[in-house]
Amino acid sequence: MKEILREIGMIARALDSISNIEFKKLDLTKGQYLYLVRICEYPGIIQEQLVEMIKVDRSTATRAIQKLEINSFIEKKEDPHNKKIKRLFPTDKGKMVYPFIKRENDYSNLVALEGFSEKEAEITFDLLQRIRKNVEKEWEFVKKGNKRDY
């Protein structure tokens, strides 16, 4: 069997490393850019939705969100209908760095798909989405405290 997940992991780690190096000058550390991008794309998102989107545990998300808030990239606001809910919004500083992060992401996509035809890129995207959906089922299963039988 081909080591597909190993390849995906190497790609993800390499891109994450590149981003962490390039975003260091923006005072964004260790993957915080992932959170900031989603908060910019979905202003008012709640932490639980962010956890589901990024596929991390709550404590990891809490630390990243706290750092983003301390560094003035985002702010928390009370939900007008439910005071227990804190919604996340980008600050002006967060909105200012978002285009740079987006350009880096778009560039990384171009580099990754260099030499691919439009059809190959489409097929790759579709296959990766299928893989993600399969893995998401397992993630949900394990996240709920279940044990996989392998």
Side-chain angles (χ1 to χ4, degrees), residues 56 81 85 90 113 118 123 141:
V56 293
H81 306 294
I85 296 174
L113 296 172
E118 185 67 35
I123 290 168
F141 181 75

Side-chain angles (χ1 to χ4, degrees), residues 2-142:
K2 297 281 184 202
E3 292 286 342
I4 293 169
L5 297 181
R6 190 174 287 183
E7 291 295 319
I8 292 170
M10 286 189 289
I11 293 164
R13 284 187 300 279
L15 290 171
D16 193 49
S17 180
I18 290 168
S19 296
N20 284 328
I21 292 165
E22 291 188 337
F23 300 153
K24 191 173 187 173
K25 63 185 169 214
L26 302 173
D27 287 329
L28 286 170
T29 60
K30 197 80 176 120
Q32 290 174 1
Y33 62 92
L34 295 170
Y35 298 85
L36 181 57
V37 164
R38 294 298 183 266
I39 293 167
C40 286
E41 290 173 347
Y42 302 94
I45 192 170
I46 61 172
Q47 183 172 326
E48 196 55 41
Q49 291 169 314
L50 206 48
V51 163
E52 291 292 319
M53 247 183 222
I54 298 177
K55 306 292 183 244
V56 293
D57 59 73
R58 277 192 198 106
S59 59
T60 301
T62 298
R63 283 190 303 275
I65 289 167
Q66 284 173 342
K67 288 177 184 172
L68 286 170
E69 193 174 20
I70 288 166
N71 290 324
S72 303
F73 287 105
I74 66 163
E75 59 185 338
K76 291 180 184 174
K77 294 182 183 176
E78 282 185 2
D79 183 279
H81 306 294
N82 184 343
K83 302 245 186 261
K84 290 181 184 177
I85 296 174
K86 302 284 188 238
R87 298 201 171 271
L88 307 172
F89 293 89
T91 61
D92 288 340
K93 181 179 178 181
K95 290 175 190 172
M96 202 169 64
V97 299
Y98 172 75
F100 177 75
I101 297 169
K102 184 78 174 95
R103 277 195 315 274
E104 187 278 338
N105 182 69
D106 292 345
Y107 180 78
S108 290
N109 263 317
L110 281 174
V111 169
L113 296 172
E114 189 175 327
F116 281 59
S117 70
E118 185 67 35
K119 185 69 177 164
E120 287 172 324
E122 209 172 288
I123 290 168
T124 301
F125 181 76
D126 291 343
L127 293 173
L128 286 171
Q129 276 192 321
R130 285 175 52 194
I131 291 170
R132 178 184 49 81
K133 288 175 185 174
N134 289 340
V135 171
E136 278 177 344
K137 289 179 207 165
E138 292 289 294
W139 181 69
E140 288 291 339
F141 181 75
V142 171

